[in-house]
Amino acid sequence: MLFPCTQRHYAVCSLRELPQIAKRDPGFWNVVSVLENDVPTISEGGFLRRLRVACDDVDDVEAALVNGQEPPRPQSIEAVFRFADEMFGEPLLVHCMYGQSRSTAMALLLMMRDMKLDGFSATDCALESRSFLLTIRPQAKPNGLILDAGLCLLFDEKERA
């Protein structure tokens, strides 16, 4: 769906929904996969470029590390931002295992970043992107650690207050 604030198409889905989207919209989407290390990537064709970042759906960094899980890292978010920059304005589809937490947080950050680059205030970025995210993915429950790390990359401390 086209995000009016930035004129870029965004979609969020689960891993299971990917094949049906590839068939419905062949050659349209650039894909960001936010998955655990042990989850295989679907080799479904029909997409343009793809990026995979490793991240478990966790809400406590220390507990994740103790349990051998991969918490969200700023480097992964920066990699997603660079990927989006490489195809400025092109459609982005973000998915995780269930399409609710990691993918929605990453999509929200991408929308906010696009808005910030277009000169929107931090408040406008938050309000408009949240509203749009809930339109395209009503079951969104963005991962707080991904959001926190991404917001620190996007906005200085004064803008986050």
Side-chain angles (χ1 to χ4, degrees), residues 56-73 145:
D56 285 288
D57 192 10
V58 296
D59 56 9
D60 182 308
V61 173
E62 286 83 30
L65 294 172
V66 167
N67 293 321
Q69 295 173 304
E70 183 69 33
R73 301 196 186 272
L145 288 179

mmCIF file of all heavy atoms in Angstrom, residues 56-73 145:
data_model
loop_
_atom_site.group_PDB
_atom_site.id
_atom_site.type_symbol
_atom_site.label_atom_id
_atom_site.label_comp_id
_atom_site.label_asym_id
_atom_site.label_seq_id
_atom_site.Cartn_x
_atom_site.Cartn_y
_atom_site.Cartn_z
ATOM 1 N N ASP A 56 16.120 -12.458 17.016
ATOM 2 C CA ASP A 56 15.038 -13.180 17.678
ATOM 3 C C ASP A 56 14.031 -12.177 18.216
ATOM 4 O O ASP A 56 14.360 -11.021 18.456
ATOM 5 C CB ASP A 56 15.594 -14.024 18.828
ATOM 6 C CG ASP A 56 16.310 -15.260 18.340
ATOM 7 O OD1 ASP A 56 15.627 -16.186 17.878
ATOM 8 O OD2 ASP A 56 17.566 -15.293 18.405
ATOM 9 N N ASP A 57 12.813 -12.629 18.410
ATOM 10 C CA ASP A 57 11.756 -11.767 18.948
ATOM 11 C C ASP A 57 11.846 -11.787 20.467
ATOM 12 O O ASP A 57 11.187 -12.583 21.140
ATOM 13 C CB ASP A 57 10.381 -12.242 18.471
ATOM 14 C CG ASP A 57 9.292 -11.221 18.759
ATOM 15 O OD1 ASP A 57 9.630 -10.078 19.141
ATOM 16 O OD2 ASP A 57 8.116 -11.558 18.602
ATOM 17 N N VAL A 58 12.715 -10.928 20.995
ATOM 18 C CA VAL A 58 12.960 -10.872 22.438
ATOM 19 C C VAL A 58 12.689 -9.464 22.952
ATOM 20 O O VAL A 58 12.711 -8.506 22.182
ATOM 21 C CB VAL A 58 14.413 -11.290 22.770
ATOM 22 C CG1 VAL A 58 14.660 -12.746 22.396
ATOM 23 C CG2 VAL A 58 15.425 -10.402 22.079
ATOM 24 N N ASP A 59 12.455 -9.383 24.253
ATOM 25 C CA ASP A 59 12.215 -8.058 24.836
ATOM 26 C C ASP A 59 13.186 -7.738 25.971
ATOM 27 O O ASP A 59 13.031 -6.736 26.656
ATOM 28 C CB ASP A 59 10.761 -7.919 25.310
ATOM 29 C CG ASP A 59 10.355 -8.997 26.304
ATOM 30 O OD1 ASP A 59 11.224 -9.754 26.773
ATOM 31 O OD2 ASP A 59 9.154 -9.078 26.600
ATOM 32 N N ASP A 60 14.204 -8.591 26.164
ATOM 33 C CA ASP A 60 15.209 -8.364 27.195
ATOM 34 C C ASP A 60 16.560 -8.810 26.644
ATOM 35 O O ASP A 60 16.769 -10.003 26.397
ATOM 36 C CB ASP A 60 14.835 -9.149 28.457
ATOM 37 C CG ASP A 60 15.805 -8.940 29.596
ATOM 38 O OD1 ASP A 60 17.024 -9.110 29.397
ATOM 39 O OD2 ASP A 60 15.336 -8.598 30.699
ATOM 40 N N VAL A 61 17.471 -7.868 26.459
ATOM 41 C CA VAL A 61 18.764 -8.158 25.840
ATOM 42 C C VAL A 61 19.577 -9.140 26.671
ATOM 43 O O VAL A 61 20.110 -10.123 26.140
ATOM 44 C CB VAL A 61 19.568 -6.861 25.598
ATOM 45 C CG1 VAL A 61 20.977 -7.172 25.115
ATOM 46 C CG2 VAL A 61 18.846 -5.967 24.606
ATOM 47 N N GLU A 62 19.681 -8.900 27.982
ATOM 48 C CA GLU A 62 20.500 -9.773 28.827
ATOM 49 C C GLU A 62 19.964 -11.199 28.834
ATOM 50 O O GLU A 62 20.718 -12.158 28.698
ATOM 51 C CB GLU A 62 20.585 -9.241 30.271
ATOM 52 C CG GLU A 62 21.473 -8.025 30.425
ATOM 53 C CD GLU A 62 20.765 -6.722 30.071
ATOM 54 O OE1 GLU A 62 19.531 -6.638 30.244
ATOM 55 O OE2 GLU A 62 21.447 -5.796 29.601
ATOM 56 N N ALA A 63 18.655 -11.351 28.982
ATOM 57 C CA ALA A 63 18.061 -12.690 28.983
ATOM 58 C C ALA A 63 18.280 -13.375 27.640
ATOM 59 O O ALA A 63 18.557 -14.579 27.582
ATOM 60 C CB ALA A 63 16.568 -12.610 29.304
ATOM 61 N N ALA A 64 18.175 -12.619 26.566
ATOM 62 C CA ALA A 64 18.388 -13.185 25.230
ATOM 63 C C ALA A 64 19.808 -13.724 25.104
ATOM 64 O O ALA A 64 20.020 -14.845 24.618
ATOM 65 C CB ALA A 64 18.110 -12.136 24.154
ATOM 66 N N LEU A 65 20.782 -12.955 25.541
ATOM 67 C CA LEU A 65 22.171 -13.379 25.438
ATOM 68 C C LEU A 65 22.438 -14.611 26.295
ATOM 69 O O LEU A 65 23.139 -15.528 25.864
ATOM 70 C CB LEU A 65 23.104 -12.230 25.817
ATOM 71 C CG LEU A 65 23.076 -11.033 24.849
ATOM 72 C CD1 LEU A 65 23.878 -9.873 25.407
ATOM 73 C CD2 LEU A 65 23.559 -11.435 23.472
ATOM 74 N N VAL A 66 21.875 -14.655 27.492
ATOM 75 C CA VAL A 66 22.021 -15.819 28.367
ATOM 76 C C VAL A 66 21.416 -17.054 27.713
ATOM 77 O O VAL A 66 21.954 -18.156 27.814
ATOM 78 C CB VAL A 66 21.374 -15.547 29.753
ATOM 79 C CG1 VAL A 66 21.226 -16.828 30.559
ATOM 80 C CG2 VAL A 66 22.177 -14.517 30.522
ATOM 81 N N ASN A 67 20.307 -16.875 27.015
ATOM 82 C CA ASN A 67 19.606 -17.990 26.376
ATOM 83 C C ASN A 67 20.117 -18.304 24.968
ATOM 84 O O ASN A 67 19.520 -19.122 24.260
ATOM 85 C CB ASN A 67 18.106 -17.707 26.314
ATOM 86 C CG ASN A 67 17.484 -17.680 27.692
ATOM 87 O OD1 ASN A 67 17.847 -18.477 28.555
ATOM 88 N ND2 ASN A 67 16.565 -16.762 27.910
ATOM 89 N N GLY A 68 21.182 -17.639 24.539
ATOM 90 C CA GLY A 68 21.750 -17.904 23.224
ATOM 91 C C GLY A 68 20.923 -17.349 22.074
ATOM 92 O O GLY A 68 21.032 -17.822 20.949
ATOM 93 N N GLN A 69 20.105 -16.349 22.362
ATOM 94 C CA GLN A 69 19.286 -15.738 21.319
ATOM 95 C C GLN A 69 19.970 -14.482 20.788
ATOM 96 O O GLN A 69 20.843 -13.914 21.434
ATOM 97 C CB GLN A 69 17.912 -15.380 21.882
ATOM 98 C CG GLN A 69 17.104 -16.599 22.299
ATOM 99 C CD GLN A 69 15.825 -16.198 22.994
ATOM 100 O OE1 GLN A 69 15.847 -15.470 23.985
ATOM 101 N NE2 GLN A 69 14.702 -16.679 22.464
ATOM 102 N N GLU A 70 19.539 -14.059 19.620
ATOM 103 C CA GLU A 70 20.088 -12.874 18.960
ATOM 104 C C GLU A 70 19.164 -11.691 19.217
ATOM 105 O O GLU A 70 18.092 -11.605 18.618
ATOM 106 C CB GLU A 70 20.224 -13.136 17.467
ATOM 107 C CG GLU A 70 20.844 -12.005 16.686
ATOM 108 C CD GLU A 70 22.318 -11.815 16.995
ATOM 109 O OE1 GLU A 70 23.020 -12.796 17.279
ATOM 110 O OE2 GLU A 70 22.765 -10.647 16.946
ATOM 111 N N PRO A 71 19.572 -10.759 20.089
ATOM 112 C CA PRO A 71 18.731 -9.576 20.305
ATOM 113 C C PRO A 71 18.863 -8.605 19.136
ATOM 114 O O PRO A 71 19.786 -8.718 18.329
ATOM 115 C CB PRO A 71 19.310 -8.964 21.587
ATOM 116 C CG PRO A 71 20.741 -9.381 21.591
ATOM 117 C CD PRO A 71 20.772 -10.736 20.917
ATOM 118 N N PRO A 72 17.933 -7.662 19.017
ATOM 119 C CA PRO A 72 18.074 -6.642 17.971
ATOM 120 C C PRO A 72 19.350 -5.839 18.195
ATOM 121 O O PRO A 72 19.692 -5.515 19.332
ATOM 122 C CB PRO A 72 16.846 -5.749 18.159
ATOM 123 C CG PRO A 72 15.984 -6.408 19.149
ATOM 124 C CD PRO A 72 16.778 -7.452 19.850
ATOM 125 N N ARG A 73 20.043 -5.554 17.125
ATOM 126 C CA ARG A 73 21.289 -4.779 17.214
ATOM 127 C C ARG A 73 21.206 -3.568 16.293
ATOM 128 O O ARG A 73 20.658 -3.663 15.190
ATOM 129 C CB ARG A 73 22.476 -5.647 16.826
ATOM 130 C CG ARG A 73 22.612 -6.885 17.707
ATOM 131 C CD ARG A 73 23.970 -7.505 17.568
ATOM 132 N NE ARG A 73 24.066 -8.754 18.291
ATOM 133 C CZ ARG A 73 24.415 -8.845 19.564
ATOM 134 N NH1 ARG A 73 24.680 -7.780 20.256
ATOM 135 N NH2 ARG A 73 24.503 -10.039 20.145
ATOM 136 N N LEU A 145 12.373 -3.428 21.694
ATOM 137 C CA LEU A 145 13.827 -3.299 21.590
ATOM 138 C C LEU A 145 14.255 -2.808 20.212
ATOM 139 O O LEU A 145 15.178 -2.003 20.099
ATOM 140 C CB LEU A 145 14.506 -4.641 21.889
ATOM 141 C CG LEU A 145 14.495 -5.094 23.342
ATOM 142 C CD1 LEU A 145 15.182 -6.447 23.481
ATOM 143 C CD2 LEU A 145 15.152 -4.066 24.247
#
